[in-house]
Amino acid sequence: MPTPLPNRPPAPSDPDERKAQARRVLRRLSADHGDAVCALHYDTPVQLLVATILSAQCTDERVNLVTAKLFADCPTAADLAALPIARLEKYVQSTGFFRNKAKNIKSCCTELVEKHGGEVPRDLDTLVKLAGVGRKTANVVLGTAFGIASGVVVDTHVGRISRRTGLTTEVDPVKVEKDLIELLPKSRWVDFSHQMIYHGRRVCDARRPDCENCSMRKFCPRVGVS
């Protein structure tokens, strides 16, 4: 097992104990954050795909402000593909890295129109071939828009809390996802990510986790670690 980094207690070494810990975490997430949903605003899978591309290195709140105007003017893949790149850049400028994001969105939507009838494909391998779409984005769209559990979405909240609660010692999102897939029932993959994100925003802050008021306090190895 890798040596844990500071403030990252080791995950239980026994596989059965790690699964037991995962069950404890799942129970508390369901009880505390059963209302968790995707924070990005969208009406169609295409819009969720575009919003998720924009969310890289940007807050969901900012993305929602941008897409409210963008999707009102350009609601479909065909509309977005036809939009001149300079105009698309103006729409998304405040999300950061806007030139690259605009380029990817235009290329992605053009391919959706030309190869997929303007619709989002429902399989991971096809999705990750689209411009600007990695495994995380594909998992978000498949899980949230279609209810297809293709994997576990690992953002900064999911990674951080998974390490703090002892579900993984990994830092790389791909390795974190691999550990979580082994621990969690497939039926919980989609909800788990949404609920972990809520827990990160409401309780387990990156800098100031509210351990005193956390329902996982009794079994979280992070408690008491300075």
Side-chain angles (χ1 to χ4, degrees):
M1 178 183 299
T3 301
L5 296 175
N7 293 340
R8 291 189 184 129
S13 58
D14 180 71
D16 290 336
E17 174 53 29
R18 291 183 68 188
K19 289 185 178 181
Q21 177 74 344
R23 289 193 294 271
R24 288 189 283 265
V25 171
L26 287 172
R27 283 195 294 270
R28 292 316 317 164
L29 289 175
S30 292
D32 296 346
H33 311 293
D35 60 334
V37 295
C38 180
L40 296 172
H41 297 168
Y42 67 98
D43 291 323
T44 68
V46 168
Q47 292 180 6
L48 177 59
L49 177 59
V50 171
T52 307
I53 292 173
L54 290 174
S55 70
Q57 304 298 312
C58 183
T59 65
D60 292 340
E61 291 80 5
R62 169 56 55 184
V63 172
N64 289 335
L65 288 173
V66 168
T67 56
K69 174 63 173 174
L70 177 61
F71 295 157
D73 296 342
C74 305
T76 70
D79 295 325
L80 291 162
L83 193 66
I85 191 67
R87 286 189 60 197
L88 182 53
E89 287 178 353
K90 289 183 179 180
Y91 276 106
V92 306
Q93 186 170 0
S94 65
T95 66
F97 305 98
F98 67 96
R99 289 191 175 89
N100 190 52
K101 289 180 180 180
K103 178 183 176 182
N104 284 334
I105 289 169
K106 187 172 179 65
S107 296
C108 178
C109 288
T110 298
E111 190 165 353
L112 289 179
V113 171
E114 293 179 349
K115 297 184 179 180
H116 304 287
E119 303 295 329
V120 176
R122 299 191 181 202
D123 70 276
L124 184 70
D125 291 340
T126 304
L127 266 175
V128 296
K129 293 177 182 177
L130 297 171
V133 181
R135 182 177 177 87
K136 174 186 167 184
T137 296
N139 282 338
V140 169
V141 175
L142 290 172
T144 303
F146 301 120
I148 298 172
S150 57
V152 178
V153 175
V154 178
D155 75 342
T156 55
H157 294 294
V158 175
R160 176 179 73 253
I161 301 168
S162 294
R163 285 186 289 274
R164 285 179 174 176
T165 55
L167 302 184
T168 185
T169 58
E170 301 292 350
V171 176
D172 179 78
V174 174
K175 293 180 179 179
V176 173
E177 182 185 13
K178 181 177 181 295
D179 282 348
L180 293 176
I181 284 174
E182 292 175 354
L183 289 174
L184 307 175
K186 190 172 184 179
S187 61
R188 290 297 307 277
W189 289 358
V190 177
D191 289 344
F192 172 83
S193 295
H194 292 319
Q195 291 167 359
M196 286 283 262
I197 290 168
Y198 268 45
H199 191 69
R201 289 173 176 165
R202 293 171 170 177
V203 182
C204 198
D205 182 77
R207 295 183 179 179
R208 296 181 179 179
D210 188 10
C211 296
E212 289 296 325
N213 295 305
C214 179
S215 66
M216 299 189 200
R217 177 178 175 82
K218 290 184 179 180
F219 59 80
C220 178
R222 171 61 173 77
V223 175
V225 178
S226 60

